[in-house]
Amino acid sequence: MNEADSQRAAALLWPAFEPGDSPETADVVLINTCSVRDKPQQKLLSELGRLRRIKERKGSMIIGIMGCVAQQMKDEIFKRAPWVDLVVGPDGIDDIPQLVAEAQQGQHGASLRLLRHAPSLDRSVEVKTQRSSALVNVMKGCDKFCTYCIVPYTRGREASRPPHVVMDEIHNLVQQGVFDITLLGQNVTAYGNDLSPRTNLNTLVTNILKEAPSIQRIRFITSHPMDTKDDTLELFALPQVATYFHLPLQAGSDRVLKTMGRGYTFRQYMDIVEKVRKIRPDVAMASDFIVGFPGETREDFLQTMDAIETVGYEGIFSFVYSPRPFTKAAGFEDPIPRAEKLVWLKELQARQNEITQQKFADMVGTVQPTIIEGPSSRDPNEMMGRTSCHKVVNLPLPKSAIGTMIDVRITEAMSNSLRGEAVAPDADQ
Ligand code: SAH
Ligand code: SF4
C-alpha cells in the first residue's frame, strides 16, 4: 500500500519533478513510513540523521515524511528533526505538490488531518510506468479495530474508491502496456460496502476484466476472513484471477483470535479455505501471523503450529507481537518474555520453511504461465518471472522477454525461488 501511495506522490509531482535514484542528487526526498510494528519508526529516525548530513553538505534539499509514522508522530517530527520540511499523513498525499512549493519558499508545512472522505478517493492519477504489473488502491483505512493494530488510527476509517475512479486508473495503466493488476486495500473484501449504490469486490473485478480485456492477471490483497463471502470466492473461478489468496489468520487459537477481536474461529476460517479449494484446487494460500500476543500461552501457540499444517500455506508473513500506541492490547497483561516469543517465532518459521519447500518441490515438472519482470537479481544474464501463485522463477531468456507472459516448465526448486525453462509455444503439439 505504501508503494502505491509513493507512486501516487510521484505522479502528482510530475512533471515538475521526476523520480531520481539517490538523495545525493535529489531536490526533494520523500520518505514513506509504516508504523504497523515498532522497528520502522526507529529506522526513520536514523535515516533522518543520514539525510541531515546530506542536506548540510549540499546546502539545500527538501525533506518530507509521509505515511503512518508521520500521522502518528505529527509535529514531534519537526521537534526531533527540525531539518524536515514537510510531514504528510496518508490522507494528505494530494497536498504534497503544494507543500513542496511552500518548502521551496522556505516554509515548513504539514497535512495531517484524517478525513472520512480523502480527496485521493475520488481523484484518479496517471501513474507513469514501463512495467507490465501495477498496484491500484481501491480502498483506504480500516474499521475493524483488531486490538493489536494501529492502522485504524493512522489510516482512518474504511472508505472505497468509486468504481469509475478505479477504472480510470486502470485504463491509464493498460494503455502503457500493464496487463497484471493488484488491487489493494486493508480489507479488499469489504470493498463497496460504504458506496452508494452499494457494490462489492466481485462486481468490481468482473467489470474490470470486461472493460479491460487485455488484463491477463488480477490479484487482490488483503482479504479479511470476516468479510470473505461466497461471491468473493467465486472470483477464483475466473482464469485471470491469480492462483494466490492472502487470507490472514493471525493465530490458530480461538481464545487468542477472540482477544485479538478478529471476529472468526479457526473452524470458520477453514470453511473458507475448503470452499476456495473446491473452486480452485491449486490455489496458493498465504497468511500473516502474530506470535506472542498478550496472554498467549504455549498451548495457544501450538495451535498456530497445527494451523499451518492443516491449511498447508505456500508462505506466511510472521511477526512477534509489537505493542502499539492507541491500541487496546497495549494495556493487556503480557507475561511471556520477548526472548521466549522469539523462540516460538523461529519455531513457526522453521516449520513453515519446510512446508514451503515441499510446495516448491511439488511444482517441479509443471508448466506455469509466468510474467517476466526483469533481470534476475542473482545472475543479470537470466530473467526473473512470477507465477500466478506469486513465486519467483529464474530462467535463461533474452531481455526482450521482459514484460511478456510465457509458459515456463519448472525444472528445480531452490530455497526461495524456482528455476525453469521457457516452453516453446508448439512444444506439446
Ligand atoms: N488488514 C490486514 C493487515 C494489515 S497489517 C489484515 O487484517 O490482515 C499487516 C500485518 O501486520 C497484520 O496482518 C499483522 O499480522 C501484522 N501486525 C499488525 N499489527 C501488529 C502488531 N501490533 N504486532 C505485530 N504484528 C502486527
Ligand atoms: Fe489492522 Fe485488523 Fe484492520 Fe487488518 S483488519 S488493518 S489487522 S485493524
Side-chain angles (χ1 to χ4, degrees):
M1 192 163 280
N2 271 6
E3 212 174 304
D5 286 349
S6 298
Q7 285 166 7
R8 182 176 182 93
L12 290 165
L13 285 168
W14 199 86
F17 298 92
E18 57 185 53
D21 46 23
S22 158
E24 304 285 347
T25 50
D27 298 309
V28 181
V29 175
L30 293 176
I31 306 183
N32 202 348
T33 57
C34 172
S35 64
V36 156
R37 284 169 297 278
D38 197 29
K39 268 218 185 103
Q41 193 176 325
Q42 293 161 7
K43 265 197 341 218
L44 168 69
L45 293 170
S46 67
E47 181 64 15
L48 280 177
R50 192 174 79 91
L51 289 176
R52 175 193 201 167
R53 289 189 290 279
I54 297 175
K55 184 169 181 163
E56 279 169 1
R57 198 163 57 235
K58 285 166 57 179
S60 77
M61 175 168 88
I62 293 168
I63 300 177
I65 314 300
M66 55 190 283
C68 290
V69 177
Q71 191 66 41
Q72 185 197 335
M73 293 179 70
K74 297 196 163 76
D75 290 343
E76 197 194 326
I77 295 184
F78 290 131
K79 283 194 203 114
R80 291 177 71 161
W83 57 96
V84 167
D85 300 280
L86 51 129
V87 176
V88 178
D91 284 354
I93 298 176
D94 288 34
D95 293 332
I96 288 177
Q98 171 75 26
L99 290 169
V100 166
E102 286 168 13
Q104 286 176 315
Q105 311 300 319
Q107 292 172 43
H108 284 217
S111 175
L112 289 161
R113 278 181 313 151
L114 280 182
L115 306 166
R116 185 158 274 278
H117 208 89
S120 56
L121 284 171
D122 293 338
R123 196 168 146 214
S124 59
V125 294
E126 298 197 351
V127 167
K128 305 245 168 311
T129 183
Q130 293 179 340
R131 305 185 51 186
S132 46
S133 306
L135 307 168
V136 177
N137 255 326
V138 300
M139 303 186 68
K140 72 154 214 116
C142 181
D143 284 352
K144 293 282 187 290
F145 289 91
C146 301
T147 55
Y148 52 81
C149 185
I150 197 173
V151 169
Y153 305 96
T154 52
R155 285 193 174 262
R157 294 286 67 72
E158 208 160 272
S160 307
R161 303 184 79 193
H164 71 271
V165 177
V166 174
M167 229 29 256
D168 282 351
E169 288 195 357
I170 289 180
H171 279 312
N172 164 57
L173 293 163
V174 165
Q175 272 164 15
Q176 296 176 76
V178 169
F179 57 84
D180 172 25
I181 298 274
T182 299
L183 305 178
L184 297 175
Q186 290 300 339
N187 298 307
V188 276
T189 34
Y191 178 78
N193 287 346
D194 58 306
L195 289 176
S196 149
R198 211 179 144 110
T199 180
N200 62 28
L201 187 67
N202 184 307
T203 309
L204 179 73
V205 172
T206 316
N207 284 341
I208 290 172
L209 293 174
K210 219 180 282 164
E211 287 186 38
S214 60
I215 292 177
Q216 300 193 44
R217 189 179 286 172
I218 192 162
R219 293 194 303 151
F220 42 86
I221 46 177
T222 300
S223 301
H224 193 296
M226 227 196 320
D227 301 310
T228 302
K229 302 285 179 315
D230 288 355
D231 55 14
T232 311
L233 302 179
E234 281 155 17
L235 285 171
F236 287 93
L238 301 173
Q240 297 97 323
V241 169
T243 313
Y244 177 89
F245 192 18
H246 187 117
L247 188 69
L249 172 61
Q250 309 296 358
S253 148
D254 287 345
R255 203 182 61 81
V256 173
L257 286 172
K258 194 155 188 208
T259 51
M260 286 177 163
R262 290 292 290 179
Y264 52 83
T265 61
F266 180 61
R267 184 58 252 167
Q268 287 167 326
Y269 180 93
M270 275 313 293
D271 285 345
I272 301 175
V273 175
E274 283 160 14
K275 269 189 195 162
V276 74
R277 283 190 169 142
K278 275 204 188 106
I279 297 167
R280 180 75 75 79
D282 59 344
V283 70
M285 294 298 305
S287 175
D288 298 350
F289 285 98
I290 295 176
V291 170
F293 185 71
E296 181 172 340
T297 61
R298 174 83 191 157
E299 286 65 39
D300 291 317
F301 168 70
L302 290 176
Q303 287 182 275
T304 297
M305 291 293 286
D306 287 345
I308 63 165
E309 300 293 335
T310 311
V311 177
Y313 291 108
E314 306 269 328
I316 62 167
F317 301 91
S318 50
F319 322 94
V320 164
Y321 167 72
S322 165
R324 307 307 294 128
F326 320 120
T327 62
K328 263 198 188 151
F332 292 176
E333 274 202 31
D334 191 3
I336 306 281
R338 188 176 157 82
E340 188 166 348
K341 294 181 181 185
L342 280 167
V343 173
W344 296 0
L345 182 73
K346 289 234 165 69
E347 215 176 309
L348 179 69
Q349 291 176 339
R351 180 62 195 126
Q352 179 58 49
N353 281 344
E354 291 170 0
I355 298 171
T356 300
Q357 273 308 293
Q358 188 55 51
K359 299 272 181 195
F360 274 47
D362 290 347
M363 288 181 75
V364 173
T366 64
V367 172
Q368 300 290 329
T370 302
I371 295 177
I372 309 303
E373 292 193 351
S376 146
S377 55
R378 281 205 211 128
D379 177 353
N381 294 318
E382 295 210 330
M383 293 297 128
M384 183 278 265
R386 268 192 203 273
T387 63
S388 178
C389 57
H390 213 57
K391 293 194 179 66
V392 168
V393 190
N394 291 305
L395 70 166
L397 271 182
K399 277 212 169 65
S400 57
I402 295 173
T404 61
M405 179 148 109
I406 58 169
D407 280 342
V408 172
R409 177 169 290 108
I410 307 301
T411 52
E412 204 180 339
M414 317 298 279
S415 57
N416 281 312
S417 60
L418 298 162
R419 285 199 58 76
E421 60 194 15
V423 178
D426 56 356
D428 292 329
Q429 287 172 16

